[in-house]
Amino acid sequence: RWFTHFYVVSVLWNGFLLIWLFQAEFLGGSFPSWIQYVHRALGRDSQNSEHFSALLVLLLLWLHNCRRLAECLWTSVFSNGVIHIVQYCFGLAYYITIGLTVLCQVPTNVRNGKELSVQICWYHIVGVMMYIWASLHQHKCLVILANLRKSKSGKVISLSHSVPFGDWFERVSCPHYFAELLIYVSMAIVLGFHNVTWWCVVMYVLFNQALAAVLCHEFYQKNFSSYPKHRKAFIPFV
């Protein structure tokens, strides 16, 4: 349940960055001086088409965290598990820096006062479609998990673990983690496939989610003797 704090911070912080980037892109505004300093230190020259790509990715990232915050508040039913203080601090830092990571993909000449022409490319459409598809499945899987602890009337009746069935749970133990990976891959596609920085983010998400999925998979196998043997931990058929 402490992950709720991560999403609160992300929605507020990345929403702030999104507003400033939108103003700089379309309204001829400028970033605060401290953001400009970070941008000059980490920014680079780039194609105009990447301006819109970065803006779109920051919007998708913000929407993703808005949905996750809503799910933490009104969908998920959390157990009494705890989080390590180091993991908690790292999580807060991650959701602050991830927005800056997107922002620094915008070239430094974005604030030259010129009007930006929106250039929608085929990879924007593919990436957004994949983002929507993965987001819908992630939400559906989280609803399935929450319903395991609720009665038909929606009242929470248990905090114990049960074996989930339905949707991508038929293939893997942690489809919501797999969907998280696909969401970040979709953003890499929106950035045009070639953004090395964001692919490093994708690799971090891959290893982070895979580790959590394997631990969860082993928990299911250890505690439920009839657990479906054909299910993989994280990625279908792998």
Side-chain angles (χ1 to χ4, degrees):
R1 61 169 58 86
W2 288 81
F3 270 63
T4 304
H5 296 184
F6 301 160
Y7 298 124
V8 169
V9 169
S10 182
V11 167
L12 294 176
W13 170 249
N14 292 318
F16 164 77
L17 295 181
L18 182 62
I19 291 172
W20 279 108
L21 180 57
F22 181 87
Q23 290 180 334
E25 294 278 15
F26 294 104
L27 303 179
S30 61
F31 291 127
S33 57
W34 64 271
I35 293 184
Q36 292 188 37
Y37 175 80
V38 173
H39 193 281
R40 283 194 296 269
L42 301 176
R44 54 178 176 73
D45 292 329
S46 186
Q47 299 286 331
N48 278 343
S49 60
E50 293 191 35
H51 295 217
F52 179 66
S53 297
L55 179 64
L56 184 56
V57 167
L58 192 56
L59 174 61
L60 294 177
L61 183 66
W62 182 75
L63 290 174
H64 173 61
N65 288 292
C66 284
R67 177 180 60 82
R68 291 293 296 117
L69 175 59
E71 289 166 343
C72 284
L73 293 175
W74 297 298
T75 300
S76 298
V77 180
F78 298 104
S79 66
N80 295 319
V82 297
I83 185 173
H84 196 282
I85 184 62
V86 174
Q87 185 183 7
Y88 179 77
C89 292
F90 180 83
L92 292 176
Y94 171 80
Y95 282 101
I96 291 174
T97 57
I98 193 69
L100 291 174
T101 301
V102 178
L103 194 66
C104 290
Q105 306 312 302
V106 180
T108 54
N109 60 6
V110 68
R111 289 171 298 280
N112 59 8
K114 295 181 180 179
E115 183 180 354
L116 173 69
S117 59
V118 176
Q119 300 178 11
I120 299 178
C121 302
W122 64 270
Y123 51 80
H124 294 147
I125 298 174
V126 172
V128 170
M129 293 297 292
M130 182 177 179
Y131 171 90
I132 294 173
W133 174 65
S135 297
L136 289 173
H137 277 284
Q138 186 179 55
H139 177 72
K140 186 174 182 179
C141 290
L142 290 171
V143 170
I144 290 174
L145 286 175
N147 287 340
L148 292 175
R149 295 175 171 177
K150 297 179 181 179
S151 64
K152 291 184 178 180
S153 63
K155 182 179 179 180
V156 177
I157 57 176
S158 173
L159 295 181
S160 62
H161 293 278
S162 303
V163 179
F165 293 93
D167 201 63
W168 288 356
F169 280 109
E170 300 303 321
R171 294 293 180 184
V172 293
S173 295
C174 300
H176 47 307
Y177 295 161
F178 178 54
E180 184 81 1
L181 174 63
L182 294 181
I183 287 170
Y184 278 83
V185 170
S186 73
M187 295 180 193
I189 295 174
V190 170
L191 287 170
F193 290 96
H194 60 271
N195 192 293
V196 176
T197 303
W198 195 258
W199 280 113
C200 290
V201 175
V202 171
M203 291 303 295
Y204 163 76
V205 174
L206 169 63
F207 290 120
N208 177 274
Q209 300 295 295
L211 174 60
V214 168
L215 294 174
C216 186
H217 184 67
E218 291 176 347
F219 172 86
Y220 279 129
Q221 291 179 322
K222 179 181 179 180
N223 290 277
F224 300 97
S225 58
S226 60
Y227 192 72
K229 297 185 181 301
H230 67 277
R231 287 190 191 179
K232 305 302 181 181
F234 180 44
I235 301 176
F237 310 108
V238 176

